[in-house]
Amino acid sequence: MYKNDGYVKRYSESFKLKVLAELTKGNHSKRQIALTYGIQSSTINVWIKKYDRKDLMNTRVTVQTDDELSRIKALQKELKQLKDLLIKKDLDKLVTDSYLEVAAENLGYRDVEELKKNLNIKP
């Protein structure tokens, strides 16, 4: 639970609504109101969600130019290609290791390392 010197604070509905009303006025920030009443900003966020006051939540506005959007799309495409290449490389290594295990067993070597040593294959 919380470390509030052994007690948990409970707030009345009227107090919660009063805090939200002050926030609605816009005279003070959420942080200022939280400091005034000795509560956490996260507590106010919980009340905002509880009373479905999405208009009071912090909103993030992203402004992007067409160049930025095209650059982001190009980078996302490149990232997908690199991930696909990495998966292919991992699969190729897995197949190669499997072939070497089978070859080592069929040729009578103790393990793959001994086969690699005799064939001068670098690990």
Side-chain angles (χ1 to χ4, degrees):
M1 204 114 210
Y2 301 106
K3 293 183 179 181
N4 290 351
D5 298 328
Y7 62 93
V8 177
K9 292 182 180 179
R10 301 271 185 219
Y11 301 100
S12 68
E13 296 296 315
S14 60
F15 177 75
K16 294 174 187 179
L17 293 172
K18 177 184 173 185
V19 170
L20 293 181
E22 279 193 40
L23 191 58
T24 303
K25 290 178 188 174
N27 296 335
H28 303 288
S29 69
K30 191 183 303 179
R31 185 174 184 279
Q32 291 170 329
I33 293 172
L35 289 173
T36 301
Y37 290 105
I39 56 179
Q40 299 290 320
S41 296
S42 58
T43 302
I44 296 174
N45 287 336
V46 170
W47 298 343
I48 289 170
K49 289 177 187 173
K50 178 180 178 181
Y51 294 105
D52 199 26
R53 295 293 309 271
K54 294 177 185 161
D55 57 308
L56 298 177
M57 284 300 285
N58 296 340
T59 55
R60 179 178 295 166
V61 177
T62 305
V63 178
Q64 296 177 326
T65 64
D66 290 338
D67 291 342
E68 290 172 327
L69 289 174
S70 62
R71 177 75 174 139
I72 288 171
K73 286 181 183 178
L75 288 172
Q76 288 172 338
K77 183 178 178 181
E78 182 180 355
L79 178 64
K80 184 183 180 326
Q81 290 172 343
L82 290 172
K83 284 181 179 180
D84 290 344
L85 285 173
L86 183 60
I87 289 170
K88 184 184 179 315
K89 183 174 170 70
D90 287 346
L91 288 174
D92 288 347
K93 183 179 180 333
L94 184 64
V95 168
T96 302
D97 290 346
S98 297
Y99 280 140
L100 286 174
E101 284 179 26
V102 170
E105 185 179 319
N106 288 342
L107 294 174
Y109 292 101
R110 287 181 300 184
D111 57 12
V112 175
E113 297 305 318
E114 185 180 351
L115 175 64
K116 286 181 178 180
K117 189 182 225 182
N118 286 338
L119 297 177
N120 292 326
I121 297 174
K122 295 180 182 177

